Every structure is written in structure tokens, then in C-alpha cells.
């Protein structure tokens, strides 16, 4: 059997690495627990058959060429794959794969609902209030928020995660509207849901939750113009990808109370929280926002599942098969 070399750009749960080693592959994990620089990654590409990379690694044609002629697959440890130049990969006949799976769907859906509840009931503000020694006793008007019960949730992107969010919220007594490329009649029936244009959804939803991949079409899907359509009492939740939302538009809408609140797990210029350094801290100064550091899939079970999924994709590619989670060029 040929000796295959795998490079993993950062420490990940061992389950997937064990699987790769069981195949007799030589697995090297980056010794640095940080994002590699481009020149570091270029060096590591030499002589490898498969790259297991993360959403924080920008993979372009130059990186791919550095792995030539042996490189067969770039296995992304993420559901999203906007960090990889798919066209460059297709030109070079390289497999690209991602890590969808039952665990990650549930983790991200669960975290999205966590953020919705935290927003509606002002959990972040309440916690900061306690820490600032402001609590003097029960008050009828203290930190009153909103119920999810009876409200309308607008789901933008009805894939696995969007549907997982709906499944959870059904028991909360919410009403459903959604926007997606294709209508899903089974979903409409089961959830008594209406398929709407994005504009109509933004006008009607009390909670707008985003579950689309980042593509040319979804870049700035929520922007300065259409955020104005949202109700003053509405909330925006983004656990998808930062650039799906024009962050300055959110900043402005929150500062002027044009919308009631937002929860962001992802950022336009990640890991920076504000793209424009002049705006440094602006989002952080607001009370009506909850910000988390891209952790929607961060559970032990999910990260372990992702490492196994990435490994299975690599094994398939090195056995000359199409990986189960091969991603196609746009
Ligand atoms: C996380 O953001 C992922 O795409 O898996």
C-alpha cells in the first residue's frame, strides 16, 4: 500500500486522527495551536496527499499547487467552505469536502435557539447587571423582555440547520415563515409555514435567523437597505457566516433602535469584531446585542463527529473514491 501523508493545520479531536492512523497514513498535526501563516502552510503542503484544514485557513490555488502532484483532497473541518477557492480546486481536479452531519446540525440549531432566547429575555444585560452590583431587589419593570411564544420566526435558508431550528421552536408555540431557493411543501404542511420573499419575511418576522452558506449571492443578504424593512421590535440572529450581513448596517440599526436586538456568532471581518478600526468597540458598546466567538458548533460530540467526517472524506479520496461529503464548484 502506498504511504500517504496527511497534514492537519491545527489540533482537532483525536477520533478522526485515530481513524487516519489506522489506515497506516502518516499524520502530521501542526505543532502551533494557532492559524498558520501562508508561508508556513505552503511549506507543509510539500509531499502531502491530503490536507485537513479549518475554516480559518484560506486555501487558494497557490496553496493547492504547493501540494502538487500528490495532493488529492482538501478536507475542510467545517460545514461552510467559503475559505476555499472551489474554482481553483476544480481546475486542478482536487476533491474538496466539508463536514455536515447529524451532530453539527443539532448543535448549531440548538445554539441558534439559545441566542434567540438570550436576546428576547436580555440574559446578557441581566448578567452584566448582576456583575456590576446593580441588583437591589425584585422590581416589576426590571429588565423586561419578550416571549418567544406566539411570535413569528423568519428562517432564511431552510437546509438541515434551518429546519432543526424550526423543529425546536415548534414546541415554543411560534409561527413560521421562511425564505429559501426552493419551496418545501412538507415543511409548510408540518409547520404551517409560509414561503415568502426575503423582503416580505423581513417585514413580518419578529426573529430573523440566517442559515445560508456564504456565496456571491448571499454576501450582504442583510444590508443597509433591507434591514430597514425589519420591525422595530424584531431581532436578527446570525450563526451562518459574518459577511452574509453588512455589519455596519447592524451597528446602525441597533444604535438607532431601528431593530430591537441582534445576536452574532460570526463576524464580517472575523476574528475582528469591527471591520473598520475606527469603529473599534462600537458593537461592544451596545447593550442590545449578544456576541459570541463563532462557537455554534462547539460541543464535544460535534467537534468529534467533524474530525471523523473529515477523516472519512480523506480515506475515500485516497482510495480513489468520491468523498461522501464532496463539495462541488459553484
Ligand atoms: C462552522 O462555522 C462551520 O461551518 O462548520
Amino acid at each position: 500500500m502506498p504511504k500517504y501523508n496527511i497534514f492537519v493545520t491545527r489540533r482537532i479531536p483525536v477520533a478522526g486522527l485515530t481513524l487516519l492512523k489506522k489506515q497506516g497514513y502518516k499524520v502530521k498535526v501542526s505543532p502551533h495551536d494557532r492559524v498558520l501563516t501562508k508561508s508556513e502552510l505552503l511549506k507543509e503542503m510539500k509531499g502531502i496527499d491530503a490536507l485537513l484544514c479549518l475554516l480559518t485557513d484560506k486555501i487558494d490555488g497557490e496553496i493547492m499547487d504547493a501540494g502538487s502532484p500528490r495532493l488529492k483532497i482538501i478536507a475542510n473541518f467545517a460545514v461552510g467552505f467559503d475559505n476555499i477557492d472551489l474554482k481553483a480546486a476544480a481546475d486542478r481536479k482536487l476533491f474538496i469536502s466539508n463536514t455536515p452531519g447529524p451532530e453539527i446540525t443539532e448543535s448549531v440549531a440548538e445554539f441558534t435557539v439559545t441566542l434567540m432566547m438570550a436576546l428576547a429575555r436580555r440574559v446578557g444585560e441581566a448578567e452584566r447587571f448582576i456583575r456590576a452590583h446593580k441588583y437591589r431587589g425584585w422590581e416589576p419593570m426590571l429588565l423586561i423582555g419578550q416571549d418567544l411564544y406566539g411570535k413569528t420566526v423568519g428562517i432564511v435558508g431552510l437546509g438541515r440547520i434551518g429546519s432543526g431550528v424550526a423543529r425546536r421552536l415548534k414546541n415554543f408555540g411560534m409561527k413560521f415563515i421562511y425564505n429559501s431557493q426552493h419551496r418545501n411543501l412538507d415543511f409548510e404542511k408540518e409547520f404551517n409555514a409560509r414561503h415568502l420573499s426575503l423582503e416580505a419575511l423581513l417585514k413580518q418576522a419578529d426573529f430573523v435567523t440566517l442559515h445560508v452558506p456564504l456565496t456571491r449571492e448571499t454576501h450582504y443578504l442583510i444590508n443597509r437597505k433591507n434591514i430597514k424593512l425589519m420591525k422595530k421590535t424584531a431581532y436578527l440572529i446570525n450563526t451562518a457566516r459574518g459577511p452574509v450581513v453588512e455589519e455596519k448596517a447592524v451597528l446602525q440599526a441597533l444604535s438607532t433602535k431601528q431593530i430591537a436586538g441582534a445576536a452574532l456568532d460570526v463576524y464580517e471581518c472575523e476574528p475582528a469584531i469591527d471591520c473598520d478600526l475606527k469603529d473599534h468597540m462600537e458593537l461592544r458598546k451596545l447593550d442590545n446585542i449578544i456576541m459570541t466567538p463563532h462557537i455554534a458548533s462547539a460541543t464535544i460530540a460535534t467537534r468529534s463527529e467533524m474530525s471523523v467526517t473529515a477523516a472519512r472524506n480523506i480515506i475515500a479520496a485516497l482510495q480513489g473514491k468520491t468523498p461522501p461529503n464532496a463539495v462541488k464548484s459553484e
Side-chain angles (χ1 to χ4, degrees):
M1 193 174 72
K3 191 90 187 144
Y4 289 124
N5 296 319
I6 323 292
F7 181 65
V8 183
T9 60
R10 197 162 181 170
R11 192 166 70 86
I12 59 168
V14 291
L17 304 178
T18 308
L19 209 58
L20 292 170
K21 286 177 191 161
K22 270 200 194 139
Q23 297 294 314
Y25 303 163
K26 192 162 163 250
V27 180
K28 176 176 174 189
V29 179
S30 165
H32 311 291
D33 197 16
R34 59 166 167 77
V35 179
L36 296 179
T37 63
K38 185 160 184 183
S39 65
E40 285 171 333
L41 185 52
L42 281 170
K43 265 192 221 141
E44 298 291 353
M45 296 302 294
K46 299 209 181 347
I48 65 167
D49 301 276
L51 176 71
L52 198 164
C53 63
L54 313 180
L55 61 90
T56 42
D57 298 312
K58 297 273 166 273
I59 309 294
D60 58 14
E62 195 186 345
I63 300 273
M64 295 172 193
D65 287 340
S68 173
R70 291 182 61 145
L71 186 68
K72 298 264 174 318
I73 176 167
I74 296 171
N76 213 30
F77 181 87
V79 170
F81 41 82
D82 47 282
N83 56 311
I84 300 176
D85 184 341
L86 292 186
K87 163 92 175 51
D91 290 346
R92 290 160 179 79
K93 302 206 170 6
L94 287 174
F95 282 123
I96 303 297
S97 63
N98 67 343
T99 55
E103 292 286 354
I104 191 167
T105 299
E106 304 306 332
S107 298
V108 177
E110 200 168 297
F111 192 69
T112 303
V113 174
T114 304
L115 290 180
M116 284 175 65
M117 294 168 76
L119 257 183
R121 299 302 301 272
R122 303 172 64 179
V123 172
E125 283 175 76
E127 218 259 349
R128 290 192 291 278
F129 182 85
I130 290 278
R131 285 180 193 267
H133 300 271
K134 288 185 182 162
Y135 186 44
R136 301 279 170 263
W138 188 89
E139 291 176 42
M141 302 302 280
L142 181 63
L143 284 162
I144 41 182
Q146 302 265 4
D147 294 306
L148 265 56
Y149 177 77
K151 299 287 186 328
T152 298
V153 58
I155 301 176
V156 181
L158 193 74
R160 285 177 287 251
I161 296 172
S163 321
V165 169
R167 248 189 293 117
R168 284 166 173 77
L169 294 178
K170 202 175 175 191
N171 288 337
F172 280 66
M174 295 192 84
K175 300 183 187 102
F176 297 94
I177 53 182
Y178 75 108
N179 172 258
S180 68
Q181 276 177 344
H182 307 287
R183 278 185 69 176
N184 180 333
L185 297 180
D186 290 340
F187 176 78
E188 290 181 25
K189 203 165 153 210
E190 186 183 344
F191 290 83
N192 196 17
R194 280 177 302 134
H195 182 265
L196 296 178
S197 67
L198 181 62
E199 286 68 29
L201 179 146
L202 292 175
K203 281 185 194 159
Q204 294 181 32
D206 298 303
F207 292 84
V208 175
T209 183
L210 306 175
H211 301 289
V212 289
L214 173 61
T215 61
R216 267 194 298 277
E217 288 73 39
T218 62
H219 185 264
Y220 278 12
L221 192 67
I222 305 296
N223 51 48
R224 268 168 221 265
K225 227 166 120 198
N226 64 15
I227 206 166
K228 295 202 172 90
L229 299 173
M230 288 177 67
K231 297 181 187 177
K232 273 193 158 33
T233 48
Y235 300 93
L236 176 70
I237 298 100
N238 188 8
T239 54
R241 279 291 181 271
V244 171
V245 172
E246 185 179 356
E247 213 157 80
K248 285 250 160 54
V250 177
L251 176 62
Q252 198 181 19
L254 292 176
S255 318
T256 56
K257 304 254 166 31
Q258 204 178 302
I259 62 173
L264 305 180
D265 185 47
V266 285
Y267 303 89
E268 190 178 332
C269 299
E270 214 167 305
I273 299 297
D274 291 307
C275 289
D276 180 350
L277 284 182
K278 275 192 271 155
D279 275 347
H280 199 51
M281 300 293 288
E282 286 301 316
L283 280 175
R284 276 177 259 215
K285 279 186 208 151
L286 299 172
D287 247 340
N288 49 352
I289 185 166
I290 291 189
M291 291 182 287
T292 49
H294 204 150
I295 53 167
S297 72
T299 71
I300 295 167
T302 287
R303 291 288 160 86
S304 193
E305 173 192 74
M306 289 165 75
S307 82
V308 169
T309 307
R312 289 202 177 121
N313 284 313
I314 290 175
I315 294 167
L318 296 184
Q319 289 175 346
K321 299 178 201 149
T322 300
N325 309 107
V327 168
K328 288 192 193 66
S329 169
E330 277 170 48

